[in-house]
Amino acid sequence: MARFALHRLMQAALLLLLVSMIGFAILHLAPGGPLSQFALSSQMSQEDLDRIAHQLGLDRPLPVQYADWLVRMLTGDWGRSFRDGEPVLKVIGSHLGATLELMATSTLIAILLGCWIGILGAIRRYSLFDTLATVGAMIALSIPTFWFGLVAIYVFSVELGWLPAGNRHTVGDASFLDLVHHLIAPALVLALVETAIWARFMRSSMLDVIGQDYIRTARAKGLPEWRVLAGHALRNALLPMITVAGLQFPTLLGGALVTETVFTWPGMGRLFLDSIGYRDYPVVMGILMFSAVMVLIGSFIADMLYAAVDPRIRLG
């Protein structure tokens, strides 16, 4: 097990290095650059721009900039924002809580609702419920998340007035109930696609387990159907879902970026787009690396759990 974990950690470290190199190169080679924000001012001379570039270290060769950034990042210094001079980790930390609230809530909704739909669809295969669930999942997977967000705002905020159209709190009200009121719409929109994915995987896994010999044996022994499904089928059907949980993290991050933008939710996704607009490269790179680390941690945990319950994985 230790050898398997070490092998996965080495792969993750190499992948992080490649992500950092590619991300750093794309950002710094893209048209514009951080100095474009200063160049918009008519009072800025070329000498002023050169001085700012020197202060920010942007006048050095790109490999030197990358090496300096990598060394500082590994020692805990992720740089400072070009926009306001705040440390990158502090900027990310101030928006992390909002994103975790949104992702945790939507994940809980997606797992509970998706697994229930998948299990019921497998038990009632080809029934009206299964057909409607399949069609609904295909629709949810085919339509962009931002479209669902705009529809939710129009229906529940503009027409019905049930839910806020955006933001995390009402001005002057930071209560828990107000937070939940603002969280409902973006969490449901973000959970919609995830629910469809969980439902389809759960249905497929449950159908595969139901057809096994030990399920037929349990039924032949006269066990009640609920005990056959809950005690034998469900436990084994949930095993592949461990991998699904780890693989869904990148999709969840991408969906959070879109959802936070539509609902003006002050999380990391909104911060990422704002930082790109301001050419705030240190913050963009910080969010990129933080997201990559989170994705790899999720994948690593999924691998370890799967290897713990299935020795063939770590011995292969």
Side-chain angles (χ1 to χ4, degrees):
M1 190 68 174
R3 182 179 179 182
F4 176 78
L6 180 61
H7 181 66
R8 285 291 187 266
L9 288 175
M10 292 176 61
Q11 289 180 336
L14 179 60
L15 184 57
L16 279 177
L17 181 62
L18 293 176
V19 168
S20 67
M21 293 174 63
I22 295 173
F24 196 90
I26 291 176
L27 285 177
H28 286 75
L29 295 177
L35 294 181
S36 60
Q37 299 295 325
F38 301 101
L40 296 176
S41 175
S42 58
Q43 299 179 351
M44 279 285 180
S45 63
Q46 185 59 45
E47 289 75 13
D48 295 329
L49 293 176
D50 293 339
R51 183 177 67 256
I52 295 175
H54 180 72
Q55 292 174 349
L56 298 178
L58 300 174
D59 56 345
R60 297 174 297 171
L62 188 60
V64 176
Q65 294 184 48
Y66 172 76
D68 179 63
W69 171 84
L70 182 62
V71 170
R72 287 188 291 107
M73 188 198 71
L74 293 177
T75 57
D77 180 9
W78 289 31
R80 290 183 173 271
S81 169
F82 290 164
R83 185 177 179 183
D84 52 21
E86 292 288 338
V88 170
L89 287 177
K90 181 179 179 180
V91 175
I92 294 176
S94 64
H95 293 77
L96 180 60
T99 296
L100 292 179
E101 290 172 2
L102 180 59
M103 292 178 61
T105 305
S106 62
T107 300
L108 181 62
I109 295 173
I111 292 176
L112 295 178
L113 188 58
C115 287
W116 176 77
I117 294 174
I119 293 171
L120 196 57
I123 296 174
R124 302 179 180 178
R125 189 178 184 184
Y126 301 137
S127 64
L128 178 61
F129 176 85
D130 186 34
T131 302
L132 293 177
T134 301
V135 173
M138 294 302 103
I139 293 175
L141 293 171
S142 302
I143 299 178
T145 303
F146 75 85
W147 188 86
F148 286 118
L150 295 176
V151 171
I153 291 175
Y154 178 76
V155 174
F156 297 106
S157 300
V158 178
E159 292 295 326
L160 300 177
W162 292 353
L163 299 173
N167 296 320
R168 191 184 180 194
H169 287 289
T170 302
V171 177
D173 186 357
S175 64
F176 176 75
L177 291 179
D178 183 66
L179 170 63
V180 173
H181 193 211
H182 284 76
L183 183 60
I184 293 174
L188 289 177
V189 169
L190 182 57
L192 188 60
V193 176
E194 298 300 313
T195 299
I197 295 174
W198 276 90
R200 299 313 297 164
F201 274 103
M202 191 68 216
R203 179 184 182 275
S204 177
S205 180
M206 196 69 176
L207 284 175
D208 182 64
V209 170
I210 289 176
Q212 299 297 320
D213 292 337
Y214 62 86
I215 297 297
R216 288 191 288 269
T217 302
R219 286 171 174 164
K221 289 180 178 179
L223 292 178
E225 186 66 14
W226 68 269
R227 288 192 60 185
V228 173
L229 295 176
H232 295 78
L234 183 58
R235 290 173 58 186
N236 291 281
L238 288 174
L239 180 59
M241 306 308 291
I242 297 175
T243 303
V244 175
L247 296 177
Q248 287 309 303
F249 198 80
T251 305
L252 195 61
L253 282 175
L257 188 150
V258 176
T259 306
E260 289 178 1
T261 302
V262 173
F263 288 94
T264 61
W265 189 263
M268 289 178 58
R270 183 67 185 271
L271 174 65
F272 184 76
L273 290 181
D274 290 344
S275 299
I276 290 178
Y278 281 95
R279 304 294 198 277
D280 197 348
Y281 290 172
V283 175
V284 173
M285 281 300 301
I287 296 176
L288 177 64
M289 296 306 299
F290 185 85
S291 302
V293 170
M294 291 297 101
V295 169
L296 290 175
I297 288 177
S299 178
F300 178 78
I301 293 175
D303 286 342
M304 292 302 102
L305 290 175
Y306 209 104
V309 297
D310 190 347
R312 293 174 300 176
I313 300 298
R314 61 177 181 266
L315 296 177

